[in-house]
Amino acid sequence: MGSLFEDIDDTIFDDKDVLAEEYQPDEILERDDEIGQYKHTLKDVLFGRNPTNVMLYGKAGVGKTAVTTYVLNELQAEAETRDETSDVHVHRFNCNGETVFSTVRALVNQLLPAHAADFPKRGLSTSDALEEFYSQLERVGGTHLVVFDELDHLEDANTLLYDIPRARAKGDLEDARIGIIGISNNYKFRDRLSSKVRDALNEDEIAFSTYTANELQNILRDRAEKALVDDGFDESAIRLAAALAAKDNGSARQALDLLRKGGEIAERNDDSTVTEHHIDAARDAVRRGRLKDKISDQSTHAQLVLEAMARIENRGDTPARSKEVMSVYQEVAVDREQEPLSTLKSVQNHLSDLTMLGFLTQNQVNEGRGGGVYHEYELDMTPDVVFGTCDELFATTF
Ligand SMILES: Nc1ncnc2c1ncn2[C@@H]1O[C@H](COP(=O)(O)OP(=O)(O)OP(=O)(O)O)[C@@H](O)[C@H]1O
């Protein structure tokens, strides 16, 4: 008997990694303006001045991370070639589900020398963590750029964004310099900061718009040429994947997912070229993936509230009032080993945000004469997607 895999001898992919989420393109297409603004904002670093803080805004998959990685790599490489410029250190941190203390603690741990013990998890305050952070920055010296991804998900970002920009003025930093690069999907984030924080931060803003179908075609064609074998794709595949992603949310991630999935389907069918038919077949799988992305974009507590709604929906108990959601939410939080929010109001806020984002539907119920008005909620998607995504998300959080 032959071996199980012996008939597998051909592949449509020349380098499939080029279509993977974590692949960093060495050329960023269609983002010249944003890259130009970024370069202008960070150029002070090359002259040993304080970095200007930056906030990047834009929806999921529009290149905020890819552009940031590219610009910071270029900046570090340039700094190395200039004798008069001190070293540039980059720290990245995803703020989702974090507190200011856990964020600063993680940054301290990134900076500590290899043999040093981690900063304690308990027993010390945020000011202690910040003090240690500044002393580590001074020890390492040079310029530090801290990328805070999903900054809008950080509980009480005000404290952090007030303290760090003032570190030199307060004398916490003398030699080292620090700049903040915040990334957010939420354009309203800035409005939620207090005015004294906005003054301290004094940041430049770079807005990333969604991609048009033409822009997505150029990004996809470039990737397809690298990822697939010669004649491995037809222009019709590029056009359809770009058009679908542009119509939905203008995300390069979604367009690339369609192309990768389309390639996998073509390969499974033993077809040697990816065409629009394969992209069409890839649509459903990618739509499910999109939903997962959308859930992953939410803050931890919003995810827990959503999972509570999925449990209630599964039991057939929807529509549900916020009080019922609150009690199931508390069970979910315990199961997921998260500290639950304690007030009904905060759960109600999440319910109305989730409704606005299209995860839930809300009905207003009028109890009639003398009675009050209250809201009832239903889940507007299949519970399975929510459970599957939360299982993945919370399996990696600890
Ligand atoms: N202009 C571009 N040129 C080449 N590839 C791109 C471009 N923009 C985005 N991509 C690719 O699309 C995918 C998503 O981009 P990226 O992660 O930068 O988006 P994002 O805006 O940071 O999204 P999120 O807010 O969800 O983190 C990545 O694989 C990235 O390499």
Side-chain angles (χ1 to χ4, degrees):
M1 210 169 58
S3 89
L4 180 63
F5 289 100
E6 78 179 357
D7 59 332
I8 301 215
D9 53 4
D10 213 8
T11 175
I12 200 169
F13 296 105
D14 191 19
D15 185 359
K16 196 174 173 188
D17 288 349
V18 170
L19 297 178
E21 169 71 32
E22 58 281 4
Y23 174 80
Q24 172 62 30
D26 28 59
E27 202 187 353
I28 304 280
L29 302 167
E30 308 292 352
R31 283 299 185 214
D32 292 352
D33 289 351
E34 291 79 358
I35 292 172
Q37 282 181 57
Y38 224 141
K39 179 174 158 183
H40 181 72
T41 296
L42 293 181
K43 68 178 186 320
D44 283 337
V45 169
L46 295 173
F47 303 108
R49 300 178 196 136
N50 278 339
T52 306
N53 299 316
V54 200
M55 270 304 299
L56 310 187
Y57 292 100
K59 296 203 171 140
V62 295
K64 301 181 298 297
T65 309
V67 167
T68 298
T69 306
Y70 167 76
V71 170
L72 294 181
N73 284 348
E74 291 285 307
L75 180 68
Q76 279 182 306
E78 182 64 29
E80 263 171 39
T81 66
R82 300 190 183 200
D83 291 341
E84 72 280 15
T85 303
S86 51
D87 286 349
V88 176
H89 306 272
V90 173
H91 313 279
R92 294 186 169 79
F93 190 71
N94 190 310
C95 302
N96 193 12
E98 304 290 340
T99 60
V100 172
F101 177 78
S102 65
T103 304
V104 181
R105 176 178 179 268
L107 290 171
V108 169
N109 289 342
Q110 283 185 26
L111 280 158
L112 284 170
H115 51 84
D118 275 0
F119 190 81
K121 252 191 181 160
R122 293 188 179 78
L124 292 172
S125 66
T126 302
S127 336
D128 297 328
L130 279 165
E131 197 180 305
E132 184 60 29
F133 178 50
Y134 297 134
S135 88
Q136 289 304 321
L137 292 174
E138 284 289 280
R139 183 185 65 76
V140 177
T143 302
H144 296 260
L145 295 170
V146 190
V147 183
F148 291 113
D149 207 352
E150 305 197 65
L151 183 55
D152 50 312
H153 288 181
L154 183 67
E155 278 174 47
D156 194 20
N158 274 303
T159 323
L160 193 72
L161 300 183
Y162 186 59
D163 213 277
I164 293 180
R166 294 166 54 252
R168 277 183 86 83
K170 282 191 303 162
D172 289 329
L173 291 182
E174 281 178 11
D175 294 330
R177 294 175 189 275
I178 184 165
I180 294 173
I181 299 177
I183 302 185
S184 166
N185 288 334
N186 182 352
Y187 289 92
K188 296 221 171 98
F189 173 66
R190 193 166 202 278
D191 301 343
R192 297 208 318 250
L193 299 174
S194 73
S195 59
K196 72 178 194 183
V197 173
R198 291 199 294 249
D199 286 347
L201 198 56
N202 192 21
E203 82 283 18
D204 278 3
E205 267 180 33
I206 309 181
F208 284 63
S209 52
T210 51
Y211 289 115
T212 64
N214 271 339
E215 290 168 342
L216 289 173
Q217 279 191 28
N218 292 336
I219 293 170
L220 282 179
R221 198 174 297 108
D222 177 67
R223 291 284 183 102
E225 278 164 5
K226 293 177 180 132
L228 295 159
V229 296
D230 285 348
D231 300 324
F233 68 94
D234 191 87
E235 266 297 306
S236 67
I238 303 292
R239 274 201 304 273
L240 182 60
L244 291 173
K247 198 164 145 239
D248 192 0
N249 58 3
S251 146
R253 178 178 300 121
Q254 188 177 2
L256 288 162
D257 283 350
L258 279 164
L259 183 64
R260 185 182 58 249
K261 199 85 207 148
E264 287 168 357
I265 293 172
E267 189 162 82
R268 200 176 324 137
N269 295 350
D270 279 336
D271 295 332
S272 56
T273 307
V274 187
T275 67
E276 60 189 324
H277 302 296
H278 302 115
I279 302 294
D280 207 30
R283 259 167 114 161
D284 262 0
V286 171
R287 199 172 289 148
R288 233 179 132 79
R290 260 292 302 147
L291 223 45
K292 274 187 168 180
D293 277 0
K294 216 171 131 187
I295 298 173
S296 316
D297 273 352
Q298 305 310 310
S299 68
T300 304
H301 291 287
Q303 287 162 353
L304 297 173
V305 171
L306 190 63
E307 187 170 0
M309 281 303 302
R311 282 196 192 177
I312 299 170
E313 183 85 25
N314 233 13
R315 294 183 198 155
D317 287 343
T318 50
R321 292 180 65 163
S322 55
K323 261 195 185 157
E324 297 163 61
V325 183
M326 175 79 180
S327 80
V328 181
Y329 155 79
Q330 285 169 333
E331 289 165 25
V332 174
V334 170
D335 292 349
R336 297 296 190 187
E337 295 176 13
Q338 305 290 320
E339 185 68 32
L341 300 169
S342 55
T343 63
L344 181 62
K345 184 79 200 127
S346 46
V347 169
Q348 284 169 337
N349 287 342
H350 281 301
L351 285 169
S352 67
D353 288 353
L354 289 166
T355 304
M356 209 176 62
L357 291 163
F359 290 105
L360 309 178
T361 49
Q362 183 193 59
N363 313 312
Q364 187 164 309
V365 182
N366 214 322
E367 284 184 314
R369 252 196 312 154
V373 173
Y374 61 89
H375 291 120
E376 284 183 339
Y377 297 89
E378 278 182 84
L379 188 70
D380 203 12
M381 55 178 57
T382 57
D384 284 356
V385 182
V386 179
F387 293 135
T389 309
C390 289
D391 282 348
E392 278 173 32
L393 289 169
F394 291 101
T396 51
T397 314
F398 44 88

